[in-house]
Amino acid sequence: MKYAFCQLIKRDELDSIQIDHPLFKATVLLQGAQIIEFSPAHYHFKNALWLSPSAHYKTGESIRGGIPICWPWFGAPDKNPTNISQNIKQPSAHGFARNSIWQLKSIRESCHQIEVTLSLASSAESLQCWPFDFELEATFIIGKTLRISLSTHNTDKHVVTYSQALHTYLPTSDINKTLIYGASGTTYIDALDHWKKKQQQGSINFCIETDRIYMFRDNTTLTATTPLHTLLLNQFNSRSAVIWNPWIEKSKRISQFSSTDFNSMFCIETANVLGDTVTLKPNETHQIGMQLSIESQY
């Protein structure tokens, strides 16, 4: 029995998988294995992910919004540990997986959910950026909630260390009235204050540019409250999370972003970075994941 309507649609230069299911609507780009829409029916088919109104869909350019996949390094190459940065051959922020064209491996559907799996393997092109063989699988389980897993299989003959993130953009109607709970008492690195270690007291709020790496002892759950809804984000095989908002001045300098977009978005990025990086021996596999759900609506 067919429960959903899935079709491959061009968005300007990029191929996307568009899914219409009784429980949700969703859109996944083959470039970067990037989901840009998750609109549950119980959320009145509003996008539970933030997508820039200025987004443009060009080959080789990252889309601002949704959930970009950052791999095999996160952020600026020189901010990664030496055993990662020394292997980066073509420096660019957040690695090359987010601009690569992934292959559709499978689509499985039921009355409750759709499971989409995309894959990316090392190639002559990737070896010019990162000198290791690998196989990646990104799996999206979409229903009343959105669950994403990124699996890395080391097919190289060498031990490989990498960092990564599921760079989740979330919407809010007012960043000044947005709070994140679940990190109180946690140590974080403030990337905007000379990478100093600090301790979070109470909830996280936004009133200035924010770029922090929170280091947890184990998997964690973060709860974000906005004027319109409460979002729950569960992390799996991740002991680090990046909280980001560019605020006013930086908003004027970043691509596919208007000077006022900072007021309607924030990022909670499920990550393995800094002391939480991943090291794989040959033929080993690691999987990172997150689950996003709308807990309540106001």
Side-chain angles (χ1 to χ4, degrees):
M1 182 181 296
K2 191 164 183 64
Y3 299 98
F5 181 60
C6 303
Q7 56 184 330
L8 191 66
I9 292 181
K10 276 279 189 184
R11 289 197 173 215
D12 196 358
E13 297 178 3
L14 303 184
D15 289 320
S16 68
I17 303 167
Q18 185 169 297
I19 305 168
D20 287 296
H21 189 282
L23 294 180
F24 64 89
K25 297 177 182 178
T27 303
V28 181
L29 300 174
L30 295 188
Q31 179 174 281
Q34 183 171 347
I35 186 167
I36 58 173
E37 179 190 11
F38 167 52
S39 302
H42 69 280
Y43 191 41
H44 310 301
F45 288 115
K46 295 179 182 177
N47 195 353
L49 303 174
W50 184 83
L51 179 64
S52 172
S54 307
H56 49 90
Y57 304 88
K58 302 295 183 182
T59 302
E61 294 186 26
S62 302
I63 307 304
R64 181 76 61 185
I67 307 180
I69 291 176
C70 306
W71 190 97
W73 63 86
F74 175 79
D78 63 351
K79 297 302 182 184
N80 283 263
T82 302
N83 55 358
I84 296 175
S85 62
Q86 68 185 359
N87 291 310
I88 299 172
K89 305 304 180 184
Q90 293 185 9
S92 61
H94 296 314
F96 57 84
R98 65 179 185 154
N99 290 333
S100 299
I101 304 300
W102 294 52
Q103 302 301 310
L104 175 60
K105 185 174 182 180
S106 65
I107 297 179
R108 299 182 178 90
E109 62 177 283
S110 73
C111 60
H112 301 295
Q113 64 187 33
I114 291 279
E115 182 177 315
V116 178
T117 300
L118 303 179
S119 63
L120 180 70
S122 51
S123 63
E125 184 178 3
S126 75
L127 290 170
Q128 294 178 7
C129 303
W130 182 251
F132 302 107
D133 288 316
F134 63 87
E135 292 177 352
L136 299 181
E137 280 192 1
T139 299
F140 305 84
I141 300 175
I142 316 168
K144 290 185 177 180
T145 66
L146 170 62
R147 181 167 178 143
I148 301 175
S149 63
L150 177 64
S151 177
T152 300
H153 182 205
N154 181 12
T155 58
D156 203 87
K157 61 183 179 181
H158 298 99
V159 174
V160 177
T161 299
Y162 62 94
S163 58
Q164 62 184 344
L166 303 174
H167 194 311
T168 306
Y169 286 80
L170 298 169
T172 178
S173 59
D174 187 349
I175 192 63
N176 297 284
K177 297 178 181 178
T178 297
L179 298 171
I180 300 173
Y181 297 91
S184 185
T186 300
T187 298
Y188 68 89
I189 309 298
D190 191 338
L192 301 176
D193 187 14
H194 307 288
W195 294 73
K196 292 179 181 177
K197 285 186 178 182
K198 301 179 181 180
Q199 189 172 66
Q200 181 64 39
Q201 301 295 329
S203 61
I204 302 168
N205 66 339
F206 299 91
C207 58
I208 56 173
E209 182 182 349
T210 302
D211 191 355
R212 302 174 181 176
I213 302 171
Y214 284 81
M215 308 304 296
F216 300 102
R217 294 183 178 179
D218 208 342
N219 297 334
T220 193
T221 298
L222 295 172
T223 302
T225 63
T226 81
L228 295 181
H229 55 24
T230 296
L231 298 169
L232 208 64
L233 194 146
N234 296 290
Q235 299 190 161
F236 308 101
N237 292 334
S238 161
R239 293 186 294 109
S240 49
V242 182
I243 308 298
W244 181 73
N245 181 284
W247 213 248
I248 299 169
E249 289 306 313
K250 189 169 184 177
S251 293
K252 300 173 184 177
R253 304 192 302 271
I254 59 179
S255 63
Q256 302 180 45
F257 205 83
S258 79
S259 60
T260 58
D261 280 345
F262 77 92
N263 191 55
S264 62
M265 57 68 64
F266 61 103
C267 289
I268 302 177
E269 307 170 35
T270 301
N272 295 124
V273 296
L274 298 182
D276 185 34
T277 55
V278 179
T279 297
L280 294 180
K281 296 177 182 177
N283 208 35
E284 284 189 335
T285 299
H286 177 271
Q287 186 178 84
I288 189 176
M290 53 79 72
Q291 181 170 292
L292 176 66
S293 58
I294 301 170
E295 190 171 67
S296 62
Q297 303 171 59
Y298 305 132

